[in-house]
Amino acid sequence: MLGPKSPGNRLRLPPLTKSLSAKLLLLTIFFVMVAEVLIYAPSIGRMRLVYLQERLAAAHLSILALEATPDNMVSKDLEAELLQHVGAYMVALTKPDRGKLMLMVEGPEGIDASYDLREASFFGLIGDAVVALAAPENRLLRIVGPSPKDPAVLVEVVLDEAPMRRDMYDYSYRILQLSLIISIFTAALVYLSLHLLMVRPMRRITASMAAFRENPEVAAGGLQPSERSDEVGVAERELVTMQEGLRAALLQKTRLAALGTAVTKVNHDLRNILATASLISERLARSGDPAVRSMAPTLVGAIDRALHLCAQTLQFTREGPAHLELNRFDLRDLMTEVREGLAGAGAGRGGWLNEVDRGFVVEADREQLYRVFINLGRNSLEAGAGEVRIAARPVRDFLVIDVEDNGPGLPEEAQEHLFKPFTGSTREGGSGLGLSIAHDIMRAHGGDIRMERSDAEGTLFRLVLPVAQSKDQQAAAKKAS
């Protein structure tokens, strides 16, 4: 358990300006403004086109005054007034199979740019609008296009660009205002939505993680998962499940540590008691009473098993993770040594069939691997196996070792907790530590052990060990990395 919360461990949430909500707000405004720019470009081009078409329509109406006179002529004052309403210096109208009518007053000399609206295109209108907005001063424009009133009539107008540019700036300003309002409103809605859907749950999850870090063994005040079916709900439920699993594991380890301390003390006293009982059993074995002497071997065997259990339990509680002293050796030689150890331990009721070919070199801790195979062999023989067969084969960069016996198999309750200490024993008086120790040693070597099969025909354990590499292979692997 960690100590009280210190200033260095205190959960610090980011300030509002650097929070996820603020970043989402700014990004939303930025993206909406980008979208508005993409909309603005064609709209300003369209606005300029409509402005020019309106000038052409006004020019067409002004020319009608000429058609109302017998000689197609009007006074200078009326001509100036008509052109003033159009906002142009010259207006010309051409009808099919008829002459050209014109109104004109004196104006600036020299046309700066000419545009034929019959040739207008999507990107052309955008480019022309950008040029008009960027022009440093007023330009004199000549506009030619069909009349909106009658497409068969061609109208030509000469006018100043400055009034149109002012209208374009006003239009742009209104678009900018509207874009800002839309972007801020949209960003506010997105901000509120994301704050409720993501930021607040994330802060709850973060606070729960920080609280769990400070005091992982206390469940009070933990995260209460919501009923949400989305990713946040899944994350909340998975976090609660993970915390509950870790909390249970920590409590179990705490209890096991206390149990180990207690077992160490009990073992010390129990071994003294058993030593006394062993001396008494030896005296009973020398008794003159035949009945007493016949019971002595049973008593001695029971005491020896109790002493072995005490020693094994004491060793398990004292030793930490497996400390490996690696060296290279032939696996077949090790299996031969295991066979001799099993015979010396009085477990030679069955055969130890060493089918490992010579030449399988492993780089491992010989003594630790000896413990693994001696435990497997003793378990098999003491469970009633007539023989234990050992075979090995290479698979890529690993060596697969099969330990198979012809015993009666393991009960289902033992298979469920096979590699857990004190729970996987298959015989009366066993501690269940042998397979647990073997599992830890194999994992420390970068390998693994698992039970492939256990039935009435026997049990098969499969072990995996990395194959020792030659010096050339090690150099090649180091160069490749």
Side-chain angles (χ1 to χ4, degrees), residues 14 119 123 166 348 363 366 380:
E119 301 175 355
F123 292 105
R166 284 194 298 271
E363 186 172 4
R366 187 184 181 94
S380 296

Side-chain angles (χ1 to χ4, degrees), residues 89 221 223 247 255 298 335 347 381 388 419 442:
Y89 295 106
L223 178 67
R247 187 175 292 114
R255 292 175 180 176
T298 304
M335 295 306 162
L381 296 173
V388 181
F419 299 107
M442 294 301 297

Side-chain angles (χ1 to χ4, degrees), residues 214-231:
E214 296 297 332
N215 201 346
E217 297 181 3
V218 178
L223 178 67
Q224 297 296 327
S226 62
E227 299 297 328
R228 294 174 57 167
S229 59
D230 55 11
E231 290 81 358

Side-chain angles (χ1 to χ4, degrees), residues 80 97 137 167 171 175 191 197 227 269 292 344 371 446 474:
D97 303 327
E137 56 186 15
D167 288 350
Y171 177 81
I175 290 293
Y191 170 82
L197 293 176
E227 299 297 328
D269 296 334
V292 174
R371 292 179 64 190
Q474 293 175 353

Side-chain angles (χ1 to χ4, degrees), residues 12 78 92 94 129 148 181 197 214 257-258 266 326 328 428 434 465 472:
R12 293 191 181 95
L78 181 57
T94 303
I181 293 174
L197 293 176
E214 296 297 332
V266 170
L326 302 180
R328 299 163 67 92
E428 185 178 357
L465 270 178
D472 294 338

Side-chain angles (χ1 to χ4, degrees), residues 295-316:
M295 296 174 56
T298 304
L299 179 60
V300 171
I303 293 175
D304 287 342
R305 285 194 298 271
L307 285 171
H308 176 72
L309 175 60
C310 290
Q312 193 176 24
T313 305
L314 186 61
Q315 183 180 6
F316 180 80

Side-chain angles (χ1 to χ4, degrees), residues 205 223 225 231-246:
I205 292 175
L223 178 67
E231 290 81 358
V232 174
V234 173
E236 290 176 343
R237 290 187 288 274
E238 290 297 324
L239 176 62
V240 171
T241 302
M242 181 195 70
Q243 289 178 344
E244 291 175 351
L246 288 175

